[in-house]
Amino acid sequence: HLYDAENILVQQNQVTLDVLPNTFMRAPGESIGTFALEAAVDELAYEVGVDPIELRMRNEPERNPIDGKRFAHRALREAYARGAELFGWSARTPQPGSMRDGRWLVGMGVASAYHPAWQFLANVTVRLAADGTVLVRCGFHEMGMGGATAQAQIAADALGVPFEAVTVEYGDSALPTGPGAGGSGQTASVAASLVEACDKLKRSVLALAARSAESLLRGQRLADVRARDGGLYRAADARGESYAAILGRAAQVSVDAAVGSDTRLGSIVGQARFLTKFVLDNRRWVKAASGAQFCEVRVDPDTGEVRVSRWLGVFDVGTVINAKTASSQLRGGIVMGIGMALQEESLVDPRSGRIMNANLADYHVPVHADIPPIDVYYLNEPDPTMPLGLVGIGEVSITGVAAAIANAVHHATGKRVRDLPITLDKLL
């Protein structure tokens, strides 16, 4: 999906090996694939004497090159323009080995980040209590990315209540079935059902209000009101009532709404609606997160030591719900990509096919001393085809990282390393 090439060959070979099977790294497929592709594009840029960013921009497609589908949202040009300005790319001299800082050879490299945007089925229930508190229930997973925080923010915004008034229950098989925490699709998937459930709940509250002749919301439709300040208020003249007043007058302790989980029939209908929309959307659009990775390395010419000295990633990831957790996710992916490029390697005993470094004492992952300051920026441009404009953040930031490092190492030393990790022996 990245380049507007007239001829594209896509081929997959399967090889049977007598070794223990490997398994996923973050962004399985994409993190490895972008290393090969983005390193090759950089090699091409050097061979034809064109700036690596300029070559990418010349070949930026208007539509998906494979099938001609439109991109739902794509701002890779903006990401590169912003990144080049912030990183100081114009100070880079193109000839490999031409930049030094004392004894260190200095190199700059770039690569494109790319990961598809996915959406899965999510079952959600929402309960609004008479005291204005909200309970969201969904069996999604929390692995440190702040998923519960994001869903609480979405519910609070949808219902017009304080963030502190929302409780999110998750991670239990007794809860309505949620999506897996993978494919960078969990937040958008749960958000789609959560927003729909909140809309159903507000309709129920409006119906309760309509029972009272003195209600200021009598005769109002959902489109005519705004949820704010713990209640519903008319858009035309800002008059309205709190949830507590409406539920208290109706003598109800709470109001519930469910999407895809209230009844078996409802679940089947919900799944059918979701699958229909999913198929139609994917026939029309290519949906993805993308970005531009900028890297600076320093290489010791005597020892081959490589140190990453600066990093900047600029990403097009749609709407950002929580700036703190989003930045953390993006930095985390970059850290894992640095490990992939420079340190992480499974060593296999050729006699037995077993992994020899199967623990964190022998399998080297990055530590604080290996990681430079990492600056991340996101364009915060909503994808109009995704719930709330969300595009997954979790996996896109590892893509392109290893290639950016390899490209920077070539710029510093003139040596191409096509086999990860980039170790001392491959540079000396």
Side-chain angles (χ1 to χ4, degrees):
H1 308 298
L2 277 175
Y3 298 108
D4 191 11
E6 292 185 6
N7 302 291
I8 297 176
L9 171 65
V10 180
Q11 178 176 311
Q12 177 174 302
N13 298 320
Q14 293 185 342
V15 180
T16 301
L17 302 173
D18 292 325
V19 297
L20 291 173
N22 60 357
T23 186
F24 295 160
M25 194 169 185
R26 201 173 197 174
E30 288 85 358
S31 58
I32 309 300
T34 53
F35 167 65
L37 177 62
E38 292 300 295
V41 169
D42 191 81
E43 189 166 343
L44 176 62
Y46 176 73
E47 291 295 331
V48 299
V50 177
D51 181 86
I53 296 178
E54 173 63 22
L55 181 65
R56 287 171 169 83
M57 294 303 97
R58 287 185 189 181
N59 292 279
E60 173 68 0
E62 294 298 323
R63 288 175 175 259
N64 183 33
I66 298 293
D67 54 19
K69 291 180 186 175
R70 287 181 293 168
F71 294 108
H73 182 72
R74 188 175 173 106
L76 200 53
R77 290 186 185 277
E78 292 85 344
Y80 267 109
R82 179 72 170 147
E85 177 187 358
L86 292 171
F87 195 72
W89 183 257
S90 61
R92 174 185 183 271
T93 56
Q95 189 63 31
S98 60
M99 297 177 67
R100 298 187 73 106
D101 181 11
R103 68 184 178 92
W104 296 95
L105 296 169
V106 179
M108 293 184 184
V110 297
S112 296
Y114 187 93
H115 193 276
W118 293 347
Q119 186 182 341
F120 310 106
L121 188 66
N123 299 311
V124 173
T125 63
V126 182
R127 170 169 293 175
L128 172 66
D131 62 1
T133 58
V134 176
L135 175 64
V136 176
R137 302 176 82 244
C138 177
F140 67 87
H141 311 289
E142 171 58 73
M143 301 190 299
M145 58 282 200
T149 300
Q151 300 305 329
Q153 288 181 259
I154 292 168
D157 184 68
L159 295 173
V161 299
F163 172 80
E164 296 77 14
V166 181
T167 299
V168 179
E169 292 184 357
Y170 59 91
D172 193 313
S173 57
L175 296 170
T177 305
S184 293
Q186 181 172 265
T187 299
S189 301
V190 177
S193 295
L194 177 55
V195 170
E196 185 179 346
C198 288
D199 284 347
K200 289 178 67 174
L201 191 148
K202 287 183 286 188
R203 287 192 184 94
S204 296
V205 173
L206 274 175
L208 287 177
R211 296 179 186 176
S212 173
E214 67 269 19
S215 173
L216 296 172
L217 298 170
R218 189 176 176 85
Q220 298 293 301
R221 300 170 302 165
L222 185 61
D224 301 326
V225 299
R226 300 291 180 266
R228 60 175 177 82
D229 299 329
L232 297 178
Y233 296 85
R234 291 155 48 150
D237 55 18
R239 294 190 300 162
E241 297 178 284
S242 68
Y243 294 127
I246 297 170
L247 270 64
R249 188 168 55 240
Q252 289 204 203
V253 176
S254 62
V255 177
D256 294 89
V259 170
S261 58
D262 47 346
T263 66
R264 179 60 184 163
L265 178 61
S267 180
I268 294 172
V269 172
Q271 290 180 37
R273 286 172 52 202
F274 171 81
L275 290 172
T276 300
K277 182 179 184 302
F278 179 83
V279 170
L280 291 176
D281 274 1
N282 283 275
R283 284 180 180 174
R284 297 189 189 109
W285 308 102
V286 173
K287 304 181 183 185
S290 61
Q293 306 276 20
F294 289 79
C295 168
E296 180 186 86
V297 301
R298 280 166 163 70
V299 181
D300 189 316
D302 297 321
T303 66
E305 177 187 357
V306 178
R307 306 296 297 180
V308 180
S309 50
R310 280 198 300 143
W311 200 280
L312 169 69
V314 181
F315 300 97
D316 173 28
V317 290
T319 302
V320 172
I321 298 296
N322 186 297
K324 185 175 183 179
T325 57
S327 297
S328 180
Q329 282 282 285
L330 294 171
R331 286 192 177 94
I334 292 167
V335 170
M336 294 179 74
I338 292 173
M340 171 185 168
L342 297 177
Q343 296 165 307
E344 299 188 43
E345 182 178 21
S346 296
L347 301 174
V348 177
D349 188 333
R351 299 165 299 177
S352 65
R354 299 192 69 84
I355 294 173
M356 296 187 293
N357 57 336
N359 58 69
L360 290 177
D362 301 320
Y363 182 89
H364 291 173
V365 297
V367 297
H368 282 295
D370 300 312
I371 304 302
I374 297 175
D375 293 322
V376 294
Y377 293 87
Y378 39 80
L379 302 179
N380 206 20
E381 293 287 338
D383 183 328
T385 68
M386 292 292 286
L388 300 179
L390 294 167
V391 177
I393 283 178
E395 296 179 72
V396 67
S397 62
I398 192 177
T399 65
V401 170
I405 293 174
N407 297 340
V409 168
H410 172 262
H411 181 233
T413 66
K415 294 187 177 182
R416 286 280 178 195
V417 180
R418 301 183 179 90
D419 180 30
L420 299 178
I422 303 170
T423 48
L424 310 180
D425 55 301
K426 296 173 184 175
L427 294 178
L428 294 176

